[in-house]
Amino acid sequence: MTLERKVAKAFNLTHENWMKHSNPWSVWTRYSVLPLIVFAFWSRIWIGWWCLIPGLLSLLWMFFNPVFFNPPRSTKNWASKSVMGERVFLNRDNIPIPEIHDKPIHKILNLVSSSGMALSIWATVEYSIWGACFGIALAYLGKSWYLDRMVWLYEDMKNKNEEYKSWNY
């Protein structure tokens, strides 16, 4: 089982939930998660332990965002294709992907994104606004580039499998 499949399982991404997550509103509002978490826990300087309430709400938003929205009217947009590409990528152990897409760049981009998240967490603990801003920017640069690679993968794979074809509407 791929790491991506384990993550999808943790978020309960069934076919129906993947379709909900492919709604552009889900993809774009998911970009709010890291700044909300950073701000929520940073607020401990103003509201003390009460910061756990917005912190918990931020974490719940991270967990429920992928299933909060309805399936999109169309998947012919960048955001939806990025989610469909993630589905294709996590299924690569069942349906092989082209060699051009089976490169370590995905791991590198996830490492960049993870490094940005780690920096953001450190900056939240240390109250470093520049560290938080740089960490969030780094996390989203890596994630956005990764998602763009997923769009490319989906475009290459969408007509090579009946299941993948059915996601394109």
Side-chain angles (χ1 to χ4, degrees):
M1 181 180 287
T2 62
L3 174 63
E4 294 85 3
R5 193 181 312 275
K6 289 177 185 174
V7 171
K9 195 172 189 176
F11 281 90
N12 191 31
L13 288 176
T14 62
H15 171 71
E16 180 183 342
N17 288 343
W18 271 111
M19 295 312 293
K20 289 178 179 182
H21 185 36
S22 72
N23 186 318
W25 280 99
S26 176
V27 174
W28 295 119
T29 58
R30 196 141 168 88
Y31 277 83
S32 70
V33 169
L34 187 56
L36 286 174
I37 290 172
V38 168
F39 185 74
F41 288 106
W42 202 318
S43 72
R44 73 188 185 277
I45 198 168
W46 307 297
I47 59 177
W49 287 102
W50 289 102
C51 74
L52 295 177
I53 294 171
L56 179 61
L57 291 173
S58 302
L59 293 172
L60 287 172
W61 175 239
M62 176 182 72
F63 236 171
F64 290 110
N65 172 281
V67 297
F68 184 76
F69 298 93
N70 291 323
R73 292 185 187 149
S74 170
T75 59
K76 295 179 180 175
N77 60 75
W78 186 90
S80 294
K81 290 176 184 180
S82 72
V83 172
M84 300 307 167
E86 286 183 301
R87 284 185 79 180
V88 169
F89 190 68
L90 79 83
N91 197 36
R92 69 192 180 281
D93 56 340
N94 294 326
I95 300 172
I97 60 175
E99 190 176 325
I100 188 77
H101 297 289
D102 199 15
K103 302 284 184 193
I105 186 70
H106 303 104
K107 290 178 183 173
I108 293 167
L109 294 173
N110 282 327
L111 182 64
V112 168
S113 185
S114 297
S115 298
M117 286 192 341
L119 179 57
S120 296
I121 291 167
W122 170 84
T124 302
V125 170
E126 294 294 321
Y127 293 112
S128 168
I129 192 163
W130 296 111
C133 291
F134 182 67
I136 290 168
L138 191 60
Y140 287 157
L141 173 70
K143 183 64 175 178
S144 297
W145 193 353
Y146 174 83
L147 290 177
D148 195 58
R149 302 278 308 196
M150 295 297 105
V151 171
W152 179 22
L153 172 61
Y154 179 65
E155 287 293 337
D156 284 354
M157 294 292 292
K158 70 182 177 187
N159 294 318
K160 295 183 179 177
N161 176 284
E162 287 305 314
E163 181 184 8
Y164 299 165
K165 272 186 196 179
S166 72
W167 303 341
N168 193 30
Y169 57 89

